[in-house]
Amino acid sequence: MSNLDRVYEITENYHVGPKRERPEPGDAAGTIWEATDPGPAGATRRSLSDGDRWIPLVVEPESPRATGEYHLTADDGFEGIQNVIDRTGGNVVIRLAPGTYVGRELTLEHGVVLVGSGRNATTLKLEDGANADLVTTPDLPDRNVMECTLRDITFDGNRANNASGNAVYGAFWNSRFVDCNFYAAPGNGFWLAGSTASTDDNQFRGCQFLNNRAAGLRGGGNKRSYPSVGVARVDTNWFGYNGGPAVTARGESWKISDSKFYANGLDGDPTIEFDRCSYSNVTGCDIHSDYPDHPLILVSASKGVESIGNQIKSNDLRGNYRSAVGCLVDGNDIVALQIHDNTIQSNGRSGSGIVARETGPGSFVDCSFRNNTFVGTTTGRAVRLPDSWRTNGNINAGRID
C-alpha cells in the first residue's frame, strides 16, 4: 500500500463538498477535501492540506481504461457522458448516478452500455428549444451501431418545450433496451431506424413508451428513405397515451408479446401497425382503446411488398374501436395471415371484430380466422371477411360476411 493510500485509509478528516466551501489550509491541516464541482470524467478530485497549502491528490486504484467502466454523476452532465464515449470510441460501460442530465444528440458508438440507477432515478432530458433528437447514432443512414445497451433510464423528450425530435433515433444491431422509459417526445419515443447496414436482432424488454406525440416505438425507415428493420423482440412492455401508434413496424420477424397497450393512437392511428411486415406476430397482449375511428391492429400489403406469414394469437382485444383487427390489401397480397384464439370484447359501441378489405390489386391467400371468442355486441357485423378466408371454431361471431 502506498503512503497516499494509507492516508486515505486512516484519516478521519475527510470532507466532500464544492471547492468554494473548502476552508483555508491553515484551518484544516491533515484534512482531505473531495470537490464536487464538475470536472473531467473519471477523475478523482481530492486535495490534502499540510497546513500551508492544499495539495492536489489523484488516486485511481484501477484505470478506467483498464476496466472499461466509468461512474458519472449529474454534475458531469450530458457532456461528461459524450466525452467518455468520444474518448474511448465505444465498448465501454457508463454508470449514471441518480439525477437529471440535460442536453441534446447524445451520440452512441459500438458497445456502449449506458446504465442508470433506475428509471425513476436517472433521467436524460432534451433541453428546452433543442428541437433535436435526445439520443442518436452516427452517420445515419449509412451505418449502424452494434451491441449497445440502454438500461434503467428515463429518456424524456420534453415535448412541452420542443416542437420536434425523438427520444431515441438510431440504427442498431444486436442491441438491448431494458427497463427504460421513452417519454414525452415531440416525435417518436423510440425510432428504430433502417440503414444500409444491418439493423437486426434488437430487443425491448420491460420498457414503457408513454405520452409521445407520434409513435411509441417506430421500426423501419429513416429521415431520408424507407428501409425495413427485421428481427425485433418486443416483450413485457407498456404503451400508453401515444399520439400515433403504440408500435408501427416495417420489416420481417417482429415479435410483440406479453405487453400492455392502453389509449394509443390519439390521432386516429391503429394501436399496432404491421406495414408491409412478414413473419411477425402479436401474442399474449392486452390491447385496449376508447377511440372508435381506427382499428386496434392493422395489417397491410402495398407498394410492391407482400405481407406473408403474420400471426395474431391469444390476445385480449378490448374497448371501443372501428375493428379489433383490420386487414388491407392495396396492390399486393396478404398471404397466410393467421388470427387465432383471441378474445374480442366490445363495449357495445365498437364497429366490427375483424374487417378485411381489398382496395386495389392483390388478394388474401390462405388466410384464417379461427377459434376466436366474442364478448359483447358490435354495431356492425362482427366478422367481415371474403369467402377465401378459412373460418371455424369462432364463438358468438354471428353471421360471417
Side-chain angles (χ1 to χ4, degrees):
M1 180 182 295
S2 72
N3 289 334
L4 285 180
D5 289 332
R6 189 171 292 109
V7 168
Y8 276 90
E9 181 179 289
I10 67 174
T11 184
E12 295 179 357
N13 296 322
Y14 190 106
H15 299 275
V16 178
K19 190 174 180 179
R20 66 179 178 273
E21 295 181 11
R22 189 177 68 182
E24 293 298 322
D27 298 327
T31 294
I32 293 172
W33 189 276
E34 180 176 342
T36 57
D37 308 78
T44 301
R45 298 175 290 278
R46 301 185 179 97
S47 55
L48 170 67
S49 172
D50 66 357
D52 296 318
R53 61 196 176 106
W54 285 102
I55 303 169
L57 301 176
V58 177
V59 178
E60 298 181 82
E62 288 187 274
S63 166
R65 289 185 180 274
T67 63
E69 186 165 311
Y70 291 76
H71 294 255
L72 303 182
T73 71
D75 288 336
D76 295 301
F78 223 75
E79 297 79 6
I81 304 171
Q82 191 67 67
N83 287 341
V84 171
I85 295 171
D86 294 345
R87 188 166 68 250
T88 61
N91 298 307
V92 62
V93 177
I94 303 172
R95 299 191 180 276
L96 302 178
T100 299
Y101 302 70
V102 180
R104 68 173 78 185
E105 294 182 330
L106 179 69
T107 304
L108 304 176
E109 268 296 348
H110 299 307
V112 170
V113 178
L114 192 61
V115 183
S117 300
R119 73 179 94 197
N120 295 319
T122 302
T123 298
L124 270 59
K125 184 175 182 179
L126 188 64
E127 65 187 16
D128 292 355
N131 296 315
D133 301 315
L134 176 62
V135 177
T136 189
T137 61
D139 302 323
L140 273 166
D142 299 320
R143 58 164 294 200
N144 62 14
V145 296
M146 299 185 289
E147 298 180 330
C148 285
T149 297
L150 304 177
R151 183 190 294 268
D152 293 324
I153 301 170
T154 286
F155 298 89
D156 183 350
N158 189 16
R159 62 182 282 188
N161 297 292
N162 286 278
S164 61
N166 306 286
V168 178
Y169 169 65
F172 296 89
W173 177 85
N174 196 26
S175 294
R176 302 293 179 263
F177 313 102
V178 183
D179 294 333
C180 290
N181 286 359
F182 303 100
Y183 171 74
N188 303 286
F190 197 116
W191 187 350
L192 183 61
S195 78
T196 54
S198 175
T199 48
D200 290 344
D201 197 26
N202 295 291
Q203 183 176 18
F204 299 83
R205 187 178 74 246
C207 295
Q208 298 181 4
F209 301 78
L210 302 170
N211 293 296
N212 300 289
R213 186 169 292 149
L217 172 59
R218 176 177 176 178
N222 55 58
K223 295 179 182 179
R224 298 185 193 174
S225 58
Y226 301 94
S228 61
V229 169
V231 194
R233 292 186 293 280
V234 182
D235 62 85
T236 58
N237 299 284
W238 204 96
F239 297 82
Y241 303 101
N242 296 290
V247 179
T248 179
R250 170 148 160 49
E252 294 187 356
S253 197
W254 279 74
K255 310 300 184 184
I256 303 173
S257 64
D258 302 304
S259 294
K260 169 72 176 179
F261 299 81
Y262 186 83
N264 297 279
L266 304 175
D267 297 328
D269 295 292
T271 298
I272 298 175
E273 181 180 28
F274 279 170
D275 175 16
R276 295 162 282 172
C277 276
S278 290
Y279 313 111
S280 299
N281 60 52
V282 181
T283 307
C285 294
D286 182 3
I287 306 174
H288 182 280
S289 173
D290 276 324
Y291 308 115
D293 298 327
H294 58 85
L296 296 180
I297 301 173
L298 177 64
V299 180
S300 64
S302 64
K303 300 178 181 178
V305 181
E306 291 185 335
S307 170
I308 304 172
N310 297 306
Q311 301 179 8
I312 300 170
K313 292 186 175 182
S314 303
N315 302 286
D316 290 322
L317 308 176
R318 304 185 292 121
N320 184 17
Y321 44 79
R322 188 173 69 211
S323 59
V325 182
C327 311
L328 178 63
V329 164
D330 187 12
N332 297 93
D333 294 343
I334 291 180
V335 180
L337 172 60
Q338 302 170 51
I339 305 172
H340 298 173
D341 302 304
N342 301 284
T343 300
I344 302 173
Q345 303 181 51
S346 170
N347 59 12
R349 300 189 301 274
S350 299
S352 298
I354 178 171
V355 176
R357 295 187 298 131
E358 300 172 357
T359 61
S363 59
F364 295 97
V365 180
D366 296 328
C367 296
S368 58
F369 181 77
R370 292 175 170 167
N371 301 322
N372 300 284
T373 299
F374 286 83
V375 179
T377 60
T378 57
T379 59
R381 292 289 182 190
V383 180
R384 297 168 57 190
L385 296 172
D387 292 339
S388 61
W389 283 64
R390 295 175 176 86
T391 59
N392 62 275
N394 298 298
I395 298 174
N396 297 329
R399 192 178 78 194
I400 297 176
D401 62 8

